[in-house]
Amino acid sequence: MEAKTKDLWVFVETNEDGTAKNVGLELLTPGRMMVGKQGGELVAVVIGNNVEAAVNAASAQGADKVIVVEGPEYAHFSTDAYAIALVSLVEKYGPTSMLIGATNNGRDLGPRVSCRLKTGLTADCTALDIDPESGNVAWTRPAFGGNLMATILCPDHRPQIGTVRPGVFKKGEAGEAKAEIIKEDIHVDAKDIRTQVLELIKDMDSESVDLEGAEIIVSGGRGVGGPEGFEPIKALAGVLGATVGASRAAVDAGWIPHSHQVGQTGKTVGPKLYIACGISGAIQHLAGMSGSDVVVAINKDPEAPIFDVADYGVVGNLFEVLPVLTEEIKKA
Ligand code: FAD
């Protein structure tokens, strides 16, 4: 389809309680940068039931407009209902591009919407740019097992759609909420919703591991040697108020659940402080944590590649270093 405007849309996914998921608010940051280069307005799209909190957050986070679709049929995420609503909004307003968070729901919704609109989708992006002349987005994502970063262009398609990994971009400072709020009345017939939510069962583990939102992360890798090796990691995390992360090697060994995994096939994080313990620094791990402000590496091998990206390095045995560090921080 033809774009009717230069507007860039960000789908701001909501939680069950009507608040915005962080990733949608994070995506307003590159959205603003891209609109700054190519013109048009930055539009947040919020779908759900009782989503005032998410609408206000998107507005405070700098959206020029927020388009809201509310109704009981959107209370729980449903690919059918959300895709019908989003496609009908795109057909009405004709944005030039749209960013969707690469959450479980976003990874489900994005392809469905792009297929119905007969456009393309670049999945799981980790960097974005735009050509101000053509308005073509340059979508960058890991390819070939994370061994290279591919930049993908879809010049003939509108809207250009991509999913972007949570934690890649940082939320801007919230300001005054002054976006124009546009309420759209789109109702979806029950017969068009092919899945029914019967019960919500919380995965307590992944619920409690908010790596993407964490300010400090202490991560353990194969170097911890076993599940009990995470005890000193957890102790340091405890005194720092940090979240525990892990490399895939530790997760694959069954020492810690996957919800703790940082990296290309885990979570992308951007804490103020990332402490990597017994992690070699494989490219797939770095893909998930290189946006950290300060990286500290503890590794007994002075040649470990993690030291190439670390701001501070300790060459030593983590089982000797961590208890000392934990005790010193307790005293401070
Ligand atoms: P290793 O590479 O084995 O490193 C262990 C380190 O611990 C070594 O540097 C060693 O010197 C150090 N060490 C050992 N004992 C001690 C000690 N007592 N004190 C201090 N240091 C010690 N990996 C991820 O992490 N996340 C991903 O999302 C991810 N996705 C992947 C996707 C694909 C498609 C592929 C192919 C791979 C992926 N990997 C991922 C795996 C990645 O390539 C590495 O195999 C993995 O990151 C290695 O984990 P590690 O650093 O813990 O282990």
Side-chain angles (χ1 to χ4, degrees):
M1 61 178 277
E2 292 286 315
K4 296 178 189 168
T5 66
K6 282 188 164 184
D7 293 355
L8 184 141
W9 283 17
V10 172
F11 173 67
V12 176
E13 188 182 334
T14 51
N15 295 303
E16 289 285 321
D17 63 359
T19 55
K21 282 202 198 282
N22 262 336
V23 62
L25 303 178
E26 289 163 12
L27 291 182
L28 291 166
T29 302
R32 174 57 64 202
M33 173 275 287
M34 289 153 87
V35 160
K37 284 188 175 183
Q38 66 143 13
E41 289 189 298
L42 178 60
V43 180
V45 179
V46 180
I47 302 175
N49 199 23
N50 302 323
V51 288
E52 200 183 337
V55 171
N56 289 341
S59 174
Q61 215 65 54
D64 297 313
K65 288 181 183 162
V66 184
I67 301 178
V68 195
V69 179
E70 281 190 292
E73 63 268 55
Y74 308 112
H76 304 298
F77 175 79
S78 132
T79 326
D80 288 324
Y82 277 56
I84 290 170
L86 199 47
V87 167
S88 114
L89 291 175
V90 169
E91 286 173 344
K92 176 169 177 185
Y93 290 95
T96 186
S97 39
M98 176 157 62
L99 312 180
I100 299 174
T103 59
N104 290 342
N105 294 346
R107 284 173 168 156
D108 188 5
L109 180 65
R112 187 77 62 109
V113 167
S114 67
C115 184
R116 289 193 186 177
L117 292 167
K118 298 193 170 34
T119 182
L121 178 129
T122 311
D124 244 6
C125 299
T126 54
L128 299 168
D129 204 354
I130 196 159
D131 173 23
E133 295 304 314
S134 63
N136 289 329
V137 179
W139 310 91
T140 301
R141 68 184 306 283
F144 296 104
N147 289 310
L148 61 84
M149 300 303 286
T151 297
I152 294 167
L153 304 174
C154 307
D156 299 328
H157 297 279
R158 290 292 184 277
Q160 308 201 327
I161 305 181
T163 57
V164 184
R165 300 194 89 186
V168 170
F169 294 98
K170 292 209 189 309
K171 261 196 302 187
E173 288 292 316
E176 196 191 332
K178 49 184 183 187
E180 179 190 346
I181 312 293
I182 302 168
K183 295 204 171 183
E184 284 288 348
D185 214 11
I186 303 173
H187 287 291
V188 180
D189 273 358
K191 69 171 173 36
D192 292 325
I193 303 178
R194 291 168 294 179
T195 47
Q196 240 187 318
V197 178
L198 300 178
E199 191 186 357
L200 290 181
I201 301 167
K202 285 198 174 173
D203 172 354
M204 294 313 288
D205 179 64
S206 59
E207 282 289 311
S208 59
V209 186
D210 180 17
L211 278 169
E212 283 116 337
E215 298 221 322
I216 306 177
I217 295 173
V218 186
S219 271
R222 204 194 312 265
V224 308
E228 63 292 340
F230 271 94
E231 292 311 317
I233 306 265
K234 288 177 187 165
L236 177 60
V239 297
L240 288 172
T243 304
V244 172
S247 73
R248 178 163 160 178
V251 170
D252 284 353
W255 302 341
I256 188 159
H258 179 259
S259 49
H260 292 264
Q261 186 179 315
V262 172
Q264 189 192 317
T265 42
K267 291 177 180 159
T268 305
V269 300
K272 292 192 172 139
L273 175 62
Y274 188 87
I275 306 179
C277 312
I279 293 178
S280 60
I283 188 161
Q284 295 90 354
H285 188 80
L286 303 185
M289 48 65 74
S290 51
S292 309
D293 291 348
V294 174
V295 176
V296 176
I298 303 169
N299 196 304
K300 64 182 185 186
D301 174 7
E303 303 297 325
I306 190 76
F307 288 125
D308 297 341
V309 297
D311 299 282
Y312 301 95
V314 182
V315 177
N317 182 340
L318 69 94
F319 294 105
E320 290 164 15
V321 176
L322 286 180
V324 177
L325 196 56
T326 306
E327 282 313 308
E328 287 303 314
I329 291 169
K330 267 189 204 163
K331 284 186 217 157

